[in-house]
Amino acid sequence: MAESTNIALVSLPGDLDVTTVDALRSTLESIFANGCRRIVLNMASTSYMDSAGMGLMVSAVRRMRDRGGLLSLINVSPEVLRALSIARLVDFLPVSRIGERPEIPELDPATLPLWRTILRIDPKNLAATRKHVGELLGRMPLSSEATFDLSLAVGEAMGNAVDHATGTSIIDIACYPDRAVVEISDSGEGFTPDGGTPEASPFAERGRGIALMRLLTDSVTISPKPSGTGTVVRIEKLLHA
C-alpha cells in the first residue's frame, strides 16, 4: 500500500472473495483510522469478485462519502466490471478498466486559455491556499470526482513545493477548451534533466508523490525552471474525464 496524507493506493494481490475480503477490510480500516479521504484500489490482479467483496465495496463507499471522500477502482478486468455492473456498483463509485487511460494530445502553443489565475503559495497558511485553489478548480467543467482528484494532486505538489523550496512558490491555474493545466513552480534545489534528481528532492521517482499525482490526473511533467533554480511541476486533466 502506498499512502499520502490524503491519498492511499491499495493493490489487491488476487481475487476478492469470502476468503480474502477480511484482509482487505483490515487494510481499509487502518486507512479510515488515519483520516484518509481518497482511496484507489488497483485491481490489476483481480479476476473475480463475489458478493462478500461487493458488500465490502458498498460499505467502504458509504464510509468515504460520509467523510466527504472518494473510493475508486482502477485496472478492473472485464469479468469484474460485468459483476460490478450487474450489482449496480458502477453507479456509486468511479471504475476504470484495464488499459483505460486517455492519450492526452500536446497543447497547441497558439491556444489561449479561457481563463487563467496566478497565485503565490502561502507557506504559513497552506490550507488557505488549498481552499482558494479548490474554488478555482471548481470552476472547471469537470465531474465532481475529477475535480476531487485534481485538487488532491495539486495539493500534493503544493505541499512538496512548500516543504522543500527555499523561496517563493507560485501556482499557475489555466482552463483551456479541452483541459485544466496547473503549474507549480518552486525555488528549491532543482531537477536534473537526465532523469536523476538530487537526493533530497521531493520529486524523486522512488517517492510516492509523483506516482499518486500521475494516478489522479492525465499528465504530470517535471522540469527545471527556465531561469534560476527550482522545479516546475505541470499537471493536466482533460475536461471530459
Side-chain angles (χ1 to χ4, degrees), residues 11 18 36 42 49 51 58 62 77 81 121 130 132 146 193 201 230:
S11 294
V18 68
C36 181
N42 183 358
M49 179 189 295
S51 60
V58 171
R62 286 175 176 168
S77 70
L81 178 61
I121 299 173
R130 279 197 304 268
H132 191 180
S201 170

Side-chain angles (χ1 to χ4, degrees), residues 11-35:
S11 294
L12 278 65
D15 292 345
L16 185 59
D17 56 29
V18 68
T19 66
T20 60
V21 71
D22 285 343
L24 178 58
R25 180 180 290 109
S26 178
T27 297
L28 294 179
E29 287 294 338
S30 176
I31 295 172
F32 294 147
N34 287 331

Side-chain angles (χ1 to χ4, degrees), residues 115 128-140 151:
W115 57 265
T129 304
R130 279 197 304 268
K131 181 179 179 181
H132 191 180
V133 169
E135 292 169 350
L136 291 170
L137 297 179
R139 293 171 53 190
M140 306 276 188
S151 297

Side-chain angles (χ1 to χ4, degrees), residues 3-149:
E3 189 172 342
S4 182
T5 304
N6 291 309
I7 316 167
L9 171 61
V10 180
S11 294
L12 278 65
D15 292 345
L16 185 59
D17 56 29
V18 68
T19 66
T20 60
V21 71
D22 285 343
L24 178 58
R25 180 180 290 109
S26 178
T27 297
L28 294 179
E29 287 294 338
S30 176
I31 295 172
F32 294 147
N34 287 331
C36 181
R37 296 178 57 238
R38 178 66 166 96
I39 300 177
V40 179
L41 297 183
N42 183 358
M43 306 188 71
S45 300
T46 304
S47 59
Y48 177 81
M49 179 189 295
D50 68 6
S51 60
M54 293 180 190
L56 178 58
M57 292 297 105
V58 171
S59 174
V61 168
R62 286 175 176 168
R63 293 187 65 174
M64 292 301 286
R65 287 191 171 186
D66 286 345
R67 65 177 62 189
L70 179 66
L71 171 75
S72 64
L73 311 181
I74 63 171
N75 293 323
V76 176
S77 70
E79 296 81 6
V80 172
L81 178 61
R82 177 164 175 74
L84 292 170
S85 299
I86 292 172
R88 300 295 298 274
L89 283 175
V90 292
D91 297 337
F92 302 102
L93 76 165
V95 176
S96 63
R97 294 170 294 179
I98 290 177
E100 188 177 66
R101 186 76 176 183
E103 287 291 332
I104 185 164
E106 186 174 349
L107 184 64
D108 186 342
T111 303
L112 296 177
L114 302 176
W115 57 265
R116 182 183 183 191
T117 302
I118 301 176
L119 304 170
R120 180 175 296 180
I121 299 173
D122 185 356
K124 295 182 179 179
N125 194 351
L126 188 56
T129 304
R130 279 197 304 268
K131 181 179 179 181
H132 191 180
V133 169
E135 292 169 350
L136 291 170
L137 297 179
R139 293 171 53 190
M140 306 276 188
L142 289 163
S143 68
S144 58
E145 292 85 0
T147 301
F148 190 96
D149 284 357

